[in-house]
Amino acid sequence: MLQATPLAEGWTLRHGSDTLPAAVPGCVHTDLLTAGVIPDPFLGRDETEVAWVGRRDWTYERELPAVDGHEQIDLVFDGLDTVAEILLDGELLGRTRNMHRSYRFDVTGLGGRLAVRFVSAYAEAEAVRGKLGERPAAYTEPYQYLRKMACSFGWDWGPTLVTAGIWRPVRLERWSTARIARVRPLVTVEDGRGRVELQVEVERSRVEAALAVEATVGGVRARAEIDGTRGVVRLSVPDVRLWWPRGYGEQPLYDIELTLLHDERPLDVWRRRIGFRTVELDRRLDAHGSGFTFVVNGERLFARGVNWIPDDVFPSRITRERYRERLRQATDAGVDLVRVWGGGIYESEDFYDACDELGLLVWQDFPFACAAYPEEQPLRGEVEAEARENVVRLMPHPSLVLWNGNNENLWGFRDWGWEERLAQDSWGEGYYLGVLPRVVAELDPTRPYAAGSPWSGSWEHHPNDPAHGTHHSWEVWNREDYAAYRADVPRFVAEFGWQAPPAWATLRRALPGEELGPDSPGMLHHQKADDGNGKLRRGLERHFAFPEGDFDRWHYLTQVNQARAVAAGIEHWRSHWPVCAGTVVWQLNDCWPVTSWAAIDGDGREKPLYHELRRLYADRLLTLQVRDQGLVLTAVNQSAEVWSGTVTLRRMSVEGVVVGTANVAVTAGRRSVADVDVPRELEPAGPKEFLVADADGLRALHFPAPDRDIPYPRPEFDVAPVPGGIEVTARTLVRDLLLQADRLDPAARADRGLVTLLPGEHVTIGVRGWEPRGDQDAAAAARSALYCMGPSR
C-alpha cells in the first residue's frame, strides 16, 4: 500500500552564510518575520523596507532520509514558488518554473542533503522578457512573464511582496507495483440517477502485473480492469439527492472511494467527496442581446456574487479555519457565488471543500490578469500543464460551476492600447480561445467555459459590451457618480465596486502612532489605487460637504458612500432580472490592511458594506427606483414562494411629519420581480422630503436630493445598554446610524451596519466582544462610537 511521509520538519533557510529555521509550508518572508530579520510589511510603510527580499535567491535545505521496503520512492512537492532547482547531495533532480503546479521526483534508493534553490522571480521574469520581448500590462511589475501569483507583484489594493518558498506541503511517497497517478471524475445526473465515470491513470513499477480498480459511492460498487496504464469505472446511483446552491436547497455530498488492486491486494486509494447536480450557462441570443445566466438543476439563477482575492499576500498562512470563517461570512451576507479572480491562485482543497458544504457556487478564473501574456516557450507548456493538473484536481467539487479564461485581458487588448503596441506579438488570445477551452472540453466537459471576463462571446461585439455576456463596470468608480450605475442593464455584472478605508481598529493596528488623516503618510501608503484618494474625495463631494480636517467624519462618510454606491448598482440590476442575471461585487476580502473595495477588511472586520450586502442579497428585496414613468416600487423575490403583501408608503418631511400615505398591494411570483408605480402625490418634493416603503419587515427609502442639500435636523436619540448590545431610540430622523463597535474594543463586532430610524423607532444593535469596564458608563461609551447624518451632536 502506498505510504506517505510528510516532510514538514527540519528545514532551514539559507542565504549566503546565514541559516534560519524554516517552516514548510511557508515562504521566505514568513521565515524572516519569525526570525525577526525583517519588520512586519503590513505595518506603517515597512513594505518598502523588505523589497530586497524578492530580489534575492534563497535556498531551503534538510536531510532526506534514505528509506527502503518499496520498489519506488517519490519526492512530491504540492507547490513550489516559483523558479527552483531541486538537488540531492548536489545532484540535480529537476527544475521548476510554475507556482501553480505540483512536482514529483524519483528518489528511489537515495538519501542525503536535499536543497531547493529558489531564483528571484524578478530575475526569471526579466530573463523571459529579454528573450520574448516586452508585453504591455496594467502595472509596471513583470508578472506576466512567469507562472506565479500575479498580485504578489502588487495591485491597486495589494502590496508588492514578491515571495519565494515551499508554499504547499512536501512528502515522500513509497509504493510498489503501481500507484494511482490521476483520477478524473465525470459526475452527471440523468433521470434522477447519478452517473459517475472515473477515468483512472496509473503509474507502474511492474509492467506485467494484472491490475484492477474498484469504486464505491452511495452504496453502489463497481469494478474495472486496468488496460496498460488506464481504466474506466462507471457507477449509476439511483435516487440521488441533488446538490443545490445555498438558498435553493440542501448540499448533500457523497463519499467516493477508488482502490487500486493487484491480486485483490490494495495498492493505493483515492478518496473524494462529490455532489450530484447539473450546471449550464445560458448564453443564447434574445431581444436584449446575449445572456449569461447560470442554470443549476434546471433552475435559472440571479447570481449574488463576490470576487475573491487571495486572503493573504502570503497564501501559505491561510488555514482551513480561516477559509471557512471568510466563506461563512460570505454566506451570512447572502452570497451564493464566489469568483476566484485571475490574478491570484488556484485555491487549496480547503477552500473548495468549504464552498461545497456551504452551497457557494465557484467561478474559477485561470490565473491570467490585466496583462498581455506571451504564448511562446517556456510559458506555453507551463500553461497547458498547470491547466490540465488543476482542472482534474478541482473536478470533484460540485461547487465549481465555471472555468473562465482570464481577467480583463481580452478587454485590455481592445481598449488599453495593447493592439497597436503588440503589432503581431502573441498576447494570450491563443490561451483563452485555444489551449484552455480545448483542455476543459477534453478533461471536464461537464462544466461550461468562458474565454474571459469581461467577454461578449466573440469579437463581433466589444469585449465589454453590456448587452452581451459579462461586463465590468469601472467607469463609474473612476469618473462618475454612482447614480450612473442606473444608466444601463448589463446581462451580467462580473465586477463593479467602490472604495472605503478599513475599520478603525484595523487602521490603528496597521499605522501605530500615526496621526490619522486621509493624506497622512501611512494612509497614503495603504492606498494603492491610482488617484484613489482623489476618487474618494470626488465621490464624497457629489453627496456631502467634504469634512476638511475631520478624519473621523471622513472615515464614516467614505464607509457610507461605499455602501450606498454598491446598493445603487445591485438594487437597479436586481430589479431588472431576468435581463440582468447576476452581480459580482468587487471585492469580498483583502490580503492586508488597505483602503480598498473590500466588504471585509484585511483584519477580517466587516465594513458597513458587508452588512448592506445582507440586505441587498436577501431572497426578498424592496427598492424604490426612478424610471422614465416616475418613481417605481419594485419587489424582488428570489425565494421559491410567491410574495404577496401590502406595502405601506409614507411621504415624510425630514422633521418627521407624515405628508401623505398609501397602501399598495404587490405580488411577486417565485424567482421574479414585480413593479408598482408610486402614486404621483406621494413622490417627495425637494430636499426636505423623502419616501418610505415598508412591507414584511423590509424597508426602502428614497431621498430625491444629495445629503449636502438636505436640511437634516440635529439627530436626537437615546442609548441604553441591553443584554448582548445596545438599544437606540430615535427622537428625530436618524439617517444611516452606524455603531463602530471596534472603537469600543478592537475585538468588538456589531451585528448590523447602517440603519435609518424614523422618529419614535428603535433598534437593538447586538455587540459581541465588548464588556464595559466596571467604572464605564456603557451608554456613554456606545454613544461615542455612534455616527449618523446631520449636524454634529
Side-chain angles (χ1 to χ4, degrees):
M1 189 72 167
L2 183 145
Q3 296 179 332
T5 303
L7 298 179
E9 306 295 331
W11 289 92
T12 60
L13 174 64
R14 179 167 54 83
H15 175 65
S17 59
D18 297 325
T19 300
L20 303 170
V24 172
C27 75
V28 171
H29 287 83
T30 53
D31 290 330
L32 296 175
L33 269 170
T34 300
V37 175
I38 61 172
D40 186 340
F42 287 10
L43 303 184
R45 290 176 284 174
D46 285 341
E47 172 199 354
T48 59
E49 299 299 315
V50 304
W52 60 271
V53 175
R55 295 282 182 181
R56 301 285 182 89
D57 299 343
W58 300 91
T59 300
Y60 284 80
E61 293 182 320
R62 64 155 287 162
E63 289 299 319
L64 186 69
V67 293
D68 53 23
H70 289 77
E71 295 171 356
Q72 180 88 16
I73 314 294
D74 291 337
L75 174 63
V76 182
F77 293 93
D78 285 340
L80 293 169
D81 176 17
T82 292
V83 182
E85 291 183 337
I86 296 85
L87 303 103
L88 190 56
D89 277 345
E91 295 295 322
L92 182 67
L93 294 178
R95 293 184 173 89
T96 73
R97 58 190 319 132
N98 192 329
M99 180 181 183
H100 305 303
R101 293 179 58 187
S102 64
Y103 296 92
R104 179 179 294 267
F105 303 101
D106 183 352
V107 293
T108 307
L110 302 178
R113 193 68 176 170
L114 175 63
V116 184
R117 295 179 180 171
F118 289 96
V119 175
S120 164
Y122 280 109
E124 168 71 7
E126 288 158 2
V128 173
R129 179 170 56 190
K131 176 183 177 182
L132 302 183
E134 188 79 31
R135 299 296 195 282
Y139 303 97
T140 58
E141 298 279 302
Y143 59 89
Q144 70 269 46
Y145 300 103
L146 73 170
R147 300 306 299 150
K148 176 177 171 59
M149 184 175 86
C151 64
S152 68
F153 287 90
W155 221 258
D156 56 5
W157 38 256
T160 302
L161 294 167
V162 179
T163 52
I166 305 172
W167 76 289
R168 281 183 166 161
V170 56
R171 63 191 175 277
L172 283 176
E173 287 189 357
R174 308 188 298 278
W175 53 277
S176 298
T177 307
R179 71 172 186 90
I180 298 171
R182 187 171 81 163
V183 179
R184 186 162 61 89
L186 298 168
V187 181
T188 56
V189 182
E190 297 176 15
D191 300 324
R193 299 186 72 89
R195 309 284 185 179
V196 182
E197 180 178 293
L198 300 173
Q199 299 274 350
V200 185
E201 296 178 20
V202 302
E203 181 183 359
R204 291 173 173 267
S205 61
R206 281 191 258 162
V207 176
E208 75 285 356
L211 302 176
V213 284
E214 190 170 88
T216 59
V217 60
V220 175
R221 183 181 302 271
R223 183 184 176 102
E225 304 301 314
I226 294 293
D227 182 7
T229 59
R230 297 175 183 270
V232 180
V233 186
R234 295 181 176 88
L235 303 100
S236 179
V237 185
D239 302 319
V240 293
R241 299 171 59 214
L242 294 179
W243 184 97
W244 287 93
R246 62 164 303 281
Y248 291 83
E250 297 180 346
Q251 293 79 45
L253 297 169
Y254 289 73
D255 293 319
I256 186 167
E257 180 174 292
L258 180 138
T259 304
L260 177 63
L261 301 166
H262 171 56
D263 292 337
E264 302 307 310
R265 179 171 58 87
L267 300 177
D268 197 1
V269 177
W270 178 90
R271 297 184 181 92
R272 296 291 187 277
R273 288 186 309 171
I274 61 171
F276 292 97
R277 56 100 185 98
T278 63
V279 60
E280 305 167 68
L281 188 58
D282 186 350
R283 292 180 268 201
R284 290 175 296 179
L285 288 169
D286 57 26
H288 305 280
S290 48
F292 195 92
T293 303
F294 287 101
V295 185
V296 179
N297 298 328
E299 188 81 66
R300 300 173 69 81
L301 315 180
F302 181 96
R304 295 169 278 188
V306 287
N307 281 276
W308 171 275
I309 66 170
D311 204 52
D312 195 320
V313 74
F314 306 130
S316 59
R317 296 199 298 199
I318 308 173
T319 62
R320 181 180 181 85
E321 292 71 29
R322 182 164 160 185
Y323 274 124
R324 195 162 294 271
E325 176 189 6
R326 200 69 70 242
L327 292 167
R328 174 62 72 182
Q329 287 174 300
T331 59
D332 288 348
V335 170
D336 59 22
L337 180 143
V338 177
R339 176 189 173 213
V340 181
W341 167 75
I345 57 176
Y346 306 95
E347 294 287 346
S348 82
E349 294 296 328
D350 295 332
F351 174 91
Y352 304 97
D353 285 345
C355 291
D356 291 344
E357 295 165 13
L358 295 170
L360 285 169
L361 301 174
V362 175
W363 160 334
Q364 178 70 54
D365 280 11
F366 287 98
F368 300 88
C370 300
Y373 285 77
E375 297 176 39
E376 294 81 13
Q377 299 295 1
L379 291 173
R380 188 178 185 87
E382 291 292 344
V383 166
E384 179 154 355
E386 84 179 45
R388 288 183 171 278
E389 176 175 336
N390 285 285
V391 166
V392 172
R393 177 173 73 90
L394 300 182
M395 280 176 66
H397 295 283
S399 57
L400 179 60
V401 294
L402 179 68
W403 294 104
N404 181 61
N406 73 88
N407 175 75
E408 298 190 344
N409 294 345
L410 296 159
W411 181 21
F413 178 75
R414 180 54 49 86
D415 269 7
W416 300 351
W418 296 0
E419 194 167 3
E420 297 79 9
R421 291 174 60 189
L422 284 163
Q424 300 301 312
D425 287 343
S426 66
W427 57 274
E429 183 182 28
Y431 296 145
Y432 320 133
L433 300 180
V435 173
L436 297 177
R438 171 171 54 80
V439 168
V440 172
E442 174 192 339
L443 299 178
D444 188 15
T446 67
R447 288 181 178 86
Y449 170 84
S453 185
W455 180 234
S456 58
S458 78
W459 289 115
E460 294 179 7
H461 306 286
H462 188 280
N464 201 27
D465 186 337
H468 298 275
T470 49
H471 177 69
H472 289 195
S473 180
W474 285 118
E475 283 299 297
V476 174
W477 156 253
N478 285 319
R479 295 175 179 85
E480 304 174 24
D481 180 39
Y482 57 71
Y485 284 135
R486 305 186 185 104
D488 54 29
V489 182
R491 305 312 303 270
F492 193 104
V493 187
E495 281 190 21
F496 77 107
W498 204 269
Q499 272 201 349
W504 172 261
T506 301
L507 287 174
R508 284 271 52 111
R509 185 191 70 82
L511 304 175
E514 179 164 313
E515 184 177 345
L516 296 177
D519 298 319
S520 62
M523 286 294 295
L524 287 177
H525 186 78
H526 288 249
Q527 164 62 278
K528 297 295 186 178
D530 182 34
D531 191 30
N533 273 17
K535 293 170 185 176
L536 281 175
R537 181 176 186 122
R538 291 188 290 276
L540 285 181
E541 288 176 336
R542 294 182 178 106
H543 297 271
F544 309 101
F546 192 82
E548 298 284 1
D550 188 343
F551 179 78
D552 289 350
R553 194 70 180 167
W554 176 88
H555 183 264
Y556 163 72
L557 290 177
T558 51
Q559 300 265 3
V560 170
N561 225 31
Q562 181 187 40
R564 287 198 196 171
V566 171
I570 292 179
E571 289 187 16
H572 169 66
W573 294 319
R574 279 194 76 179
S575 75
H576 285 279
W577 161 259
V579 177
C580 179
T583 56
V584 189
V585 177
W586 188 270
Q587 66 219 62
L588 175 69
N589 58 325
D590 268 325
C591 64
W592 77 313
V594 65
T595 296
S596 84
W597 299 264
I600 302 169
D601 75 19
D603 282 6
R605 294 187 175 91
E606 299 94 350
K607 298 182 187 179
L609 170 60
Y610 171 83
H611 297 283
E612 185 71 352
L613 285 177
R614 295 170 63 184
R615 179 183 73 86
L616 297 167
Y617 277 166
D619 282 350
R620 292 178 175 178
L621 173 68
L622 203 63
T623 178
L624 291 161
Q625 296 289 310
V626 179
R627 302 274 173 82
D628 291 340
Q629 70 269 35
L631 201 56
V632 172
L633 172 73
T634 299
V636 180
N637 179 26
Q638 206 160 344
S639 74
E641 307 297 329
V642 174
W643 182 16
S644 293
T646 299
V647 181
T648 300
L649 296 172
R650 284 178 285 175
R651 176 181 166 189
M652 298 186 67
S653 72
V654 293
E655 289 83 12
V657 177
V658 177
V659 179
T661 65
N663 291 324
V664 297
V666 63
T667 298
R670 67 182 300 276
R671 323 286 193 209
S672 69
V673 174
D675 289 341
V676 177
D677 290 340
V678 172
R680 289 285 186 179
E681 64 272 16
L682 291 183
E683 293 192 8
K688 294 184 178 181
E689 293 187 349
F690 63 101
L691 182 65
V692 184
D694 290 297
D696 297 332
L698 303 180
R699 170 169 285 177
L701 296 164
H702 173 67
F703 288 81
D707 291 72
R708 65 170 184 264
D709 296 333
I710 298 174
Y712 288 116
R714 186 175 301 277
E716 297 180 7
F717 52 85
D718 299 317
V719 181
V722 296
I726 63 168
E727 183 177 77
V728 180
T729 303
R731 288 185 270 118
T732 64
L733 170 67
V734 179
R735 188 179 183 193
D736 284 333
L737 180 73
L738 175 67
L739 175 66
Q740 296 190 21
D742 57 294
R743 288 178 178 262
L744 301 172
D745 188 292
R749 298 287 195 277
D751 67 357
R752 65 179 61 226
L754 301 167
V755 60
T756 294
L757 300 175
L758 306 180
E761 293 183 335
H762 64 89
V763 65
T764 297
I765 302 174
V767 183
R768 56 184 174 86
W770 173 58
E771 290 293 337
R773 299 187 305 270
D775 60 345
Q776 188 178 29
D777 183 329
R783 181 178 284 272
S784 71
L786 284 164
Y787 292 77
C788 64
M789 292 295 148
S792 300
R793 301 193 305 279

